Amino acid sequence: MQHPVIVAAVRTPVGAIGGGLASLQAQDLATICLKNVLASVSLDPTLVEYTCLGWVMQDPRSPNVAKTAAEKAGVPPTSPGTTFHENCASGGAAIHSLARRIALGECSLGIAGGVESMSNVPRYLYTGRVKNQLYGDMTLVDGLFGALTDAEVGDGELMGLLTERLVEKYGATREEQDEVAYNSHHNALRAWEDGAFGDYVVPVEIPRRRKDPLVVAKDEGPRPVTREDLAAARPYFKRDGGTITSVNASSLNDGAAAVVLASRERAAELGLEVLAELKGFWNVGVPRDYMGEGAFKVVPPLLDRTGLGFGDVDYFELNEAFAAVLASAFRDLPDLPPERTNQWGSGISLGHPVGCTGARQVVDMIHQLRRRGAHRGVTSRCVGGGIGSGEVLAIP
């Protein structure tokens, strides 16, 4: 068995929906990210043997974006690529799959990551291709709204409403959730102010007619929210007695993230520095109507598989699809240390471009560990439909 290591890790800034990156399709964002992750270690694209990318809100404009974006980034057409749809875990699933391919000796070097352009999710016309639909009105369905809904729960429930069930199960208070959101924004702002993201978040140039290009160089989500702002926000999903607001939930976003994975032998052969080791990864299933608990239910078996305890981990990032997820995690996992969790922000502040998030977490954790002189990190996320997904990373 070959041991997969990570030799490069970059991401784009995370753009707000309709924001600076909105004019770029998912394929454009992925191509920019793949070019930059290869350039970050001066790696010849022709050496890439396989590309794996996560993308949730796929559409026919870019079928199998992993293959097409890789080719546009200079990877030869003889190198295959696979696109993954595992809802919010898609970017993580892509990394897991490439790691397995390397471990099994199917390839020795490849790119894995994730992409999402929530600004460009189509609206769909589901009718029109069967008999007896020759006449009458036809309704466009919002693909973005549909992707944020679990159609198998009740008559269809938005993920935020599902998470109100999590609040009731674990007793996470509104005040606890607002404190998670406050810390997320201010931790992310502090990291940006300290220059933590500057070395590997690649600026994106947006061409404009008769103007200089628009340069998006920073995440568009983090902002100096106050506790008063958070307390004043009204419940969004459950108007009567709810706790989840638009301020203590993640936003809708655009972005891409990628890593270069290689066998340890191939990395040494090419003279590539090992940034991090992928020590383990794991998925668990949870009830779909409590999907948010996947982010923390995956952590104990992930630690068990790698022979670690909570005290052996320097930093954690449990994705904040909603602040209620992290607030519930602290209640369910008493050994999870708040002072070492989501210290560079997460989905609430940085944003949650769903197909990108798993890869974004891995990229950020690698650089957080290295910058802080730390050794081990855990990244995890909840997944619509009832999955928890995560990784253990170590700095050699």
Side-chain angles (χ1 to χ4, degrees):
M1 297 285 284
Q2 300 295 312
H3 188 76
V5 295
I6 297 170
V7 297
V10 306
R11 68 173 176 89
T12 69
V14 177
I17 190 168
L21 300 178
S23 64
L24 299 178
Q25 297 289 330
Q27 185 186 98
D28 301 325
L29 284 169
T31 300
I32 290 167
C33 194
L34 298 191
K35 285 181 177 178
N36 276 278
V37 78
L38 293 169
S40 71
V41 288
S42 302
L43 187 63
D44 183 350
T46 63
L47 299 177
V48 174
E49 299 168 44
Y50 213 104
T51 303
C52 297
L53 288 181
W55 183 24
V56 176
M57 301 183 190
Q58 302 177 25
D59 70 71
R61 288 172 290 187
S62 302
N64 195 6
V65 71
K67 181 70 161 62
T68 53
E71 287 190 26
K72 288 179 176 292
V75 175
T78 50
S79 175
T82 303
T83 302
F84 293 81
H85 186 311
E86 198 177 284
N87 284 340
C88 304
S90 298
I95 292 173
H96 301 178
S97 179
L98 183 58
R100 290 187 190 101
R101 293 176 188 276
I102 291 171
L104 294 172
E106 295 179 21
C107 62
S108 62
L109 184 146
I111 306 174
V115 65
E116 203 70 62
S117 178
M118 298 176 88
S119 295
N120 286 290
V121 178
R123 291 176 171 86
Y124 296 97
L125 182 64
Y126 291 136
T127 55
R129 295 192 185 273
V130 298
K131 290 181 179 180
N132 302 321
Q133 294 179 344
L134 301 179
Y135 308 102
D137 296 335
M138 295 182 180
T139 302
L140 286 174
V141 178
D142 187 348
L144 182 57
F145 189 86
L148 301 176
T149 303
D150 192 323
E152 304 303 320
V153 178
D155 295 327
E157 285 192 13
L158 285 165
M159 298 299 170
L161 189 56
L162 287 179
T163 308
E164 289 284 11
R165 296 171 184 252
L166 197 72
V167 170
E168 295 173 5
K169 179 175 180 179
Y170 289 93
T173 67
R174 168 70 184 270
E175 292 72 24
E176 289 170 337
Q177 294 174 56
D178 286 350
E179 190 64 15
V180 166
Y182 178 87
N183 289 333
S184 181
H185 279 287
H186 288 271
N187 286 344
L189 287 171
R190 189 179 305 112
W192 270 109
E193 290 163 2
D194 291 346
F197 295 113
D199 292 340
Y200 68 93
V201 176
V202 295
V204 177
E205 288 193 357
I206 314 295
R208 296 188 293 180
R209 289 188 64 187
R210 300 176 184 173
K211 292 182 179 179
D212 291 336
L214 170 68
V215 179
V216 179
K218 295 180 67 175
D219 300 320
E220 294 181 333
R223 60 189 191 278
V225 297
T226 65
R227 291 184 173 88
E228 292 72 24
D229 294 333
L230 288 154
R234 296 181 179 181
Y236 185 84
F237 299 97
K238 186 180 179 182
R239 302 289 183 176
D240 185 13
T243 60
I244 298 174
T245 71
S246 61
V247 193
N248 65 24
S250 61
S251 49
L252 307 178
N253 303 94
D254 309 328
V259 297
V260 175
L261 278 163
S263 68
R264 190 179 295 279
E265 292 80 0
R266 184 62 165 151
E269 181 184 323
L270 295 172
L272 297 169
E273 179 188 3
V274 175
L275 296 183
E277 300 172 349
L278 185 60
K279 286 295 189 182
F281 49 88
W282 197 241
N283 280 23
V284 298
V286 299
R288 63 190 317 125
D289 34 356
Y290 294 101
M291 66 91 194
E293 67 183 9
F296 50 91
K297 291 298 186 185
V298 73
V299 174
L302 184 58
L303 293 177
D304 288 345
R305 286 182 60 81
T306 49
L308 301 173
F310 281 89
D312 298 316
V313 177
D314 296 297
Y315 291 99
F316 296 82
E317 190 198 331
L318 279 64
N319 185 47
E320 302 156 349
F322 302 92
V325 170
L326 191 56
S328 298
F330 289 135
R331 286 175 171 256
D332 191 59
L333 302 176
D335 293 328
L336 181 66
E339 71 280 4
R340 292 189 281 120
T341 302
N342 294 14
Q343 291 301 293
W344 280 10
S346 190
I348 288 172
S349 53
L350 300 177
H352 185 17
V354 285
C356 166
T357 289
R360 193 277 304 159
Q361 290 184 283
V362 169
V363 169
D364 281 353
M365 181 57 72
I366 290 168
H367 291 283
Q368 181 175 182
L369 293 171
R370 294 177 66 84
R371 186 175 181 87
R372 292 178 182 270
H375 183 55
R376 294 189 187 95
V378 168
T379 47
S380 73
R381 61 216 60 96
C382 57
V383 184
I387 300 175
S389 163
E391 300 81 27
V392 174
L393 300 156
I395 305 302

